[in-house]
Amino acid sequence: MILLTGGLGYIGSHTAVELLNAGEDVVCLDNLSNSDISVKDKIKQIVCKTRELTDDNFKVYIGDARDYKLVDKIFCENKISSVIHFAGLKAVGESVKLPLEYYDNNLISTINLLEVMKKHGVKNFVFSSSATVYGAAKSMPIYENFETGAVTNPYGRTKYFIEEILKDVYASDKSFNIIILRYFNPIGAHDSGLIGENPNGIPNNLMPYISRVATGKLEYLSVFGDDYNTHDGTGVRDYIHVVDLALGHVKAVKKLKSKCGLKIYNLGTGVGYSVLDIVNAYNKVCGGKVKYKIVGRRPGDIDICYANADKAKKELGWVAERNLENMCKTSYNFEKKNK
Ligand code: NAD
Ligand code: UD1
């Protein structure tokens, strides 16, 4: 069985679906700090079309990844072969206000998991890292061997520190297989419209904000700056469909089984789109409902960020296949269903 911490969250739930569809058995551990228990049934509803789910192949534990006793109990009760560690706090602005909560949640959960894994002799680990570890890269596209660490906020630093911890753990025990996945900007939702990104309160990230404007929940999008050094002046990012990202984890788990040692992969499309590219693509899908205003830059934003994802293609046999239209369509569909 594969343990997914944060398995009821946005990326975790899509990954649970794709792992189950691929025939893997899944245990999720989630403290529901940024998700809802109803996601469990939604995962079941999606997967039951391809496979019958029982307590033997899909389980959910509600609790905290920092709780040693609970994690130990999960390892005692289930035959865990690999862990994918999604659980964590992820809001950049909030991390500036609550740095201790971010360091506590993100670092302690990782250390706790690794300790329990060692105790049970389980040495396969996938970690959800972020393109944020590259800071403002000197050139584009970004390769995995670019320098990391020039991060500008506590959230990003937790990702950087955890990567360093994982390198130290591997250096001390080469029987570990550790894959660090650096996600670029995940957007979109499952085709069913049952699972997707549903942030509490007013969204900080672009796509959920646009979706709420398109469905009338918010009035207009503020475009943060039109004076960047990009084709239309607005910020450029590498947006990747969450289902493609989930499929990247299925490939990573396969790679772990080949005793891969420590590996780092960018998961992105290699293509950069600007804020206005996204607005225009979304407007084609929703009939022009996304109104926007240009406002000043958001502090800390960089002008451009996109991946070179050739290493994941070569070594994992993974490429992102879903296009921008599909990312917008599925986001809109999810938002309408969750109105
Ligand atoms: P999410 O908030 O939707 O999912 C995280 C899940 O973890 C939530 O269900 C939450 O309830 C749970 N959780 C948090 N702390 C926990 C703890 N201590 N114990 C148990 N459960 C806990 O976020 P997501 O977008 O699915 O992100 C998953 C991972 O990917 C995170 O580590 C995030 O930092 C990383 N990441 C996300 C993005 C993105 O844009 N979404 C980009 C790069 C990296
Ligand atoms: C942000 C985080 C990053 C994290 C990533 C995925 C910051 C500085 N960085 O990246 O650490 O890994 O989310 O969760 O927050 N935009 C607008 N209006 C909006 C929202 C966004 O114009 O209301 C623009 C931004 O200026 C940026 C682009 O849209 O150019 C994407 O923004 P966002 O979705 O927040 O992602 P990032 O800033 O790339």
Side-chain angles (χ1 to χ4, degrees):
M1 287 192 116
I2 300 167
L3 173 61
L4 272 55
T5 70
L8 298 185
Y10 175 45
I11 304 169
S13 59
H14 288 82
T15 303
V17 165
E18 297 308 328
L19 285 168
L20 288 163
N21 279 341
E24 300 281 2
D25 298 339
V26 168
V27 184
C28 295
L29 166 62
D30 202 300
N31 67 3
L32 303 183
S33 60
N34 198 32
S35 53
D36 192 273
I37 187 62
S38 62
V39 172
K40 178 184 176 182
D41 284 335
K42 290 175 180 166
I43 294 172
K44 280 187 168 172
Q45 236 177 294
I46 295 168
V47 177
C48 72
K49 298 203 171 82
T50 53
R51 185 177 172 200
E52 196 191 333
L53 291 183
T54 65
D55 274 353
D56 290 333
N57 53 25
F58 178 54
K59 264 190 204 175
V60 173
Y61 289 82
I62 301 306
D64 202 292
R66 288 166 293 182
D67 180 342
Y68 185 93
K69 276 194 184 152
L70 173 62
V71 177
D72 187 50
K73 178 172 151 220
I74 294 172
F75 275 76
C76 289
E77 290 179 356
N78 303 278
K79 223 172 149 344
I80 307 291
S81 57
S82 307
V83 176
I84 309 182
H85 185 30
F86 295 104
L89 299 175
K90 63 164 185 176
V92 172
E94 184 183 65
S95 78
V96 176
K97 293 189 191 108
L98 303 171
L100 294 177
E101 280 80 348
Y102 273 68
Y103 289 119
D104 182 73
N105 200 347
N106 296 2
L107 271 73
I108 303 300
S109 62
T110 309
I111 294 167
N112 191 44
L113 279 166
L114 291 164
E115 277 174 351
V116 178
M117 286 173 67
K118 276 190 99 160
K119 179 182 167 199
H120 290 265
V122 177
K123 302 283 178 82
N124 294 329
F125 192 75
V126 178
F127 176 60
S128 296
S129 190
S130 165
T132 197
V133 299
Y134 295 113
K138 289 194 179 64
S139 62
M140 291 294 143
I142 297 175
Y143 290 80
E144 287 86 349
N145 62 6
F146 276 25
E147 207 173 301
T148 57
V151 193
T152 53
N153 57 76
Y155 161 72
R157 267 188 284 276
T158 67
K159 294 294 171 192
Y160 172 68
F161 291 155
I162 293 167
E163 287 200 2
E164 296 304 300
I165 291 170
L166 292 173
K167 289 175 193 168
D168 288 338
V169 167
Y170 179 67
S172 74
D173 180 352
K174 293 273 168 29
S175 68
F176 262 100
N177 298 296
I178 297 176
I179 297 186
I180 293 170
L181 297 176
R182 293 180 180 152
Y183 310 153
F184 280 67
N185 289 53
I187 59 171
H190 193 264
D191 279 339
S192 63
L194 288 170
I195 53 174
E197 189 173 18
N198 196 10
N200 292 327
I202 294 177
N204 295 306
N205 296 118
L206 181 65
M207 204 56 161
Y209 203 105
I210 288 181
S211 295
R212 291 193 186 176
V213 174
T215 48
K217 294 172 204 163
L218 292 168
E219 203 184 335
Y220 64 89
L221 169 75
S222 296
V223 174
F224 298 141
D226 66 349
D227 56 351
Y228 285 105
N229 187 21
T230 61
H231 62 273
D232 60 17
T234 65
V236 165
R237 297 290 183 274
D238 186 336
Y239 295 94
I240 173 171
H241 198 298
V242 67
V243 173
D244 280 327
L245 194 66
L247 290 167
H249 293 75
V250 177
K251 298 282 189 181
V253 165
K254 200 169 155 212
K255 182 81 179 170
L256 288 173
K257 290 177 186 161
S258 73
K259 305 256 171 283
C260 59
L262 183 125
K263 297 279 184 187
I264 301 178
Y265 299 105
N266 285 341
L267 293 186
T269 63
V271 179
Y273 287 112
S274 72
V275 177
L276 293 182
D277 290 336
I278 303 288
V279 170
N280 292 334
Y282 208 108
N283 270 334
K284 279 194 190 141
V285 162
C286 74
K289 293 190 191 117
V290 182
K291 306 287 170 244
Y292 68 88
K293 289 184 188 170
I294 307 283
V295 301
R297 291 182 177 199
R298 180 171 67 179
D301 270 355
I302 48 176
D303 54 356
I304 185 160
C305 173
Y306 60 91
N308 177 293
D310 288 352
K311 192 175 169 197
K313 182 178 180 185
K314 197 167 156 228
E315 296 185 18
L316 299 178
W318 172 88
V319 277
E321 286 174 345
R322 286 156 184 78
N323 62 20
L324 182 57
E325 186 194 350
N326 187 282
M327 299 183 212
C328 295
K329 243 187 208 165
T330 52
S331 290
Y332 187 44
N333 183 35
F334 174 74
E335 195 68 32
K336 278 188 298 180
K337 282 204 170 183
N338 288 277
K339 210 166 172 176

